[in-house]
Amino acid sequence: EGKVLILATVHDTFPKPAQSKSFMVSFSSLELALRFRRNVCLNNSIDLPISAEYMDRDSFDVIDQAGRLMANVIKITGMTGGLLGAMWTAKTKVESLPIDGADLWVDKLMHFFNFIAPAILPSRFQKAGLEMDHHLIVTIGEYDDGTMDRFLERMERFVEEENKKSNEEGKISVLVNECKQKSDETSLSAFRFVAAPAFRTWCVGEGVQGVSVDYALPNNGGEIPELTPSYSDKAVIPLKRMRYSHFGCNVVHEDLAYDLGVDVHEAKMSLKKSVEKISKGRLPAEHGHGTEYSAPVDTKERWMKMDPSNVMNPGIGGLSSKKFYKD
């Protein structure tokens, strides 16, 4: 196991907003969502949103089909509620029982009883999630400098212009739902928060296998990396491809579900190849190289300089696992 050396202190670097507003903005296409990111969210370096979290239709569906129980607990007790912690501890204890299949019991039950729990989102948000394929949960703040008004003006203008174009075809391409009360914000936060555990529950309940990756795309990018062949003649199409991201910085999380029998390592390397060679991104982004990914040469050199005896994280990023990096 690796070790952690803390070389940082925590400071409040931004003032708290005098007020804030949250929205779920739904789009008919990813291209439109990326244009909103560019023209509204990142229009300038002053009027930045507090947060901007993206999710696609597969993410919405999987969370709704497998994440209701956990999300409703979070809505009731909060992110740090004692009940949530106790339930998670109980889950891990059951999964660690020395009985064949025990590690899947809880997720199978959560998947089976999912629809006993009410929908996580209020009806108007749920309706938008079913009608549109791309969604952005965005929170904006006011710092007594007009930030919120300028952001809202840009958003209103964008929505009006885009819907005017699509209305000519009898469609709406952008739909905005504002959080009218605190419970609306809590529901959206809980919905997004359970994405990763909901994916595991969905895979276990459906009897399929899954693979998760995180990567960073260029600042001016954001398009979906193509699933290209890695070693075989053609790429395997996943049953579900959840894509949810920190929209402002283009850090993307992907959870891909495959039928049993598919070589998920090959599928993962296929996506890695596409991200790095075609999309010009980097994989991994947030969760580190671990022992699975080989780090760039300059990164390895920096690690070796910081830890010359190789005692902190032996074997990380393709480095030697032996002391002093001996072969």
Side-chain angles (χ1 to χ4, degrees):
E1 293 184 2
K3 303 172 182 64
V4 177
L5 178 64
I6 299 176
L7 298 172
T9 56
V10 179
H11 302 273
D12 291 327
T13 56
F14 296 95
K16 291 183 177 180
Q19 59 174 311
S20 63
K21 290 185 178 183
S22 295
F23 301 85
M24 176 175 167
V25 188
S26 303
F27 307 90
S28 59
S29 69
L30 177 59
E31 189 277 331
L32 195 56
L34 292 173
R35 199 153 69 238
F36 182 90
R37 172 184 180 268
R38 182 172 59 251
N39 296 341
V40 179
C41 295
L42 305 182
N43 175 269
N44 63 79
S45 61
I46 304 299
D47 304 335
L48 298 174
I50 295 174
S51 65
E53 297 291 311
Y54 164 83
M55 68 178 68
D56 69 355
R57 178 59 182 270
D58 276 356
S59 298
F60 184 92
D61 288 345
V62 168
I63 295 170
D64 187 49
Q65 294 168 13
R68 288 189 177 190
L69 290 173
M70 182 181 293
N72 275 288
V73 170
I74 292 174
K75 284 172 64 175
I76 296 170
T77 67
M79 298 286 187
T80 57
L83 178 59
L84 179 64
M87 291 177 67
W88 192 260
T89 300
K91 181 177 186 291
T92 56
K93 286 184 177 180
V94 171
E95 291 174 345
S96 64
L97 291 174
I99 303 174
D100 186 39
D103 57 325
L104 306 178
W105 288 351
V106 178
D107 284 295
K108 285 183 176 180
L109 287 172
M110 290 175 67
H111 184 266
F112 184 80
F113 290 109
N114 183 74
F115 285 104
I116 291 178
I120 306 165
L121 300 176
S123 58
R124 56 196 174 94
F125 294 94
Q126 184 77 4
K127 185 172 183 290
L130 296 173
E131 290 178 350
M132 301 284 195
D133 290 340
H134 304 272
H135 311 280
L136 185 63
I137 302 171
V138 59
T139 299
I140 54 177
E142 175 53 51
Y143 302 91
D144 296 323
D145 61 356
T147 294
M148 181 180 290
D149 287 340
R150 290 191 295 271
F151 188 99
L152 292 176
E153 182 181 341
R154 289 197 304 275
M155 182 166 69
E156 183 178 343
R157 185 168 59 248
F158 181 92
V159 172
E160 182 180 348
E161 291 175 355
E162 294 301 330
N163 281 338
K164 185 177 180 180
K165 297 176 187 176
S166 59
N167 274 336
E168 296 174 358
E169 303 174 2
K171 301 177 182 178
I172 293 179
S173 56
V174 188
L175 183 62
V176 178
N177 279 295
E178 181 180 353
C179 294
K180 299 293 186 181
Q181 48 196 3
K182 187 65 177 177
S183 61
D184 292 344
E185 295 184 14
T186 303
S187 296
L188 279 177
S189 296
F191 192 88
R192 169 61 181 84
F193 184 80
V194 301
F199 175 69
R200 171 181 162 81
T201 298
W202 189 90
C203 287
V204 171
E206 296 291 330
V208 301
Q209 56 183 337
V211 60
S212 299
V213 299
D214 63 287
Y215 54 83
L217 293 174
N219 290 335
N220 59 351
E223 292 79 9
I224 302 175
E226 181 183 355
L227 294 180
T228 58
S230 182
Y231 307 112
S232 58
D233 292 333
K234 64 178 183 178
V236 179
I237 304 302
L239 302 171
K240 291 287 186 183
R241 186 180 183 182
M242 291 175 63
R243 298 187 76 250
Y244 47 102
S245 71
H246 311 303
F247 212 44
C249 61
N250 255 353
V251 170
V252 181
H253 300 267
E254 281 210 30
D255 296 328
L256 303 97
Y258 292 95
D259 278 321
L260 298 179
V262 173
D263 186 338
V264 292
H265 179 72
E266 179 179 338
K268 191 171 188 176
M269 292 303 103
S270 169
L271 178 57
K272 182 177 188 293
K273 175 183 175 182
S274 179
V275 168
E276 295 179 341
K277 303 297 183 183
I278 302 176
S279 300
K280 306 303 180 184
R282 285 287 184 92
L283 191 159
E286 287 186 343
H287 296 163
H289 289 79
T291 57
E292 183 174 9
Y293 301 112
S294 181
V297 174
D298 59 336
T299 302
K300 292 180 181 178
E301 291 175 348
R302 185 174 71 252
W303 289 342
M304 293 173 70
K305 185 177 181 180
M306 292 171 62
D307 180 23
S309 58
N310 198 20
V311 297
M312 295 297 290
N313 288 289
I316 190 173
L319 289 172
S320 170
S321 59
K322 298 180 179 179
K323 200 166 185 178
F324 299 110
Y325 303 98
K326 293 181 179 178
D327 295 329

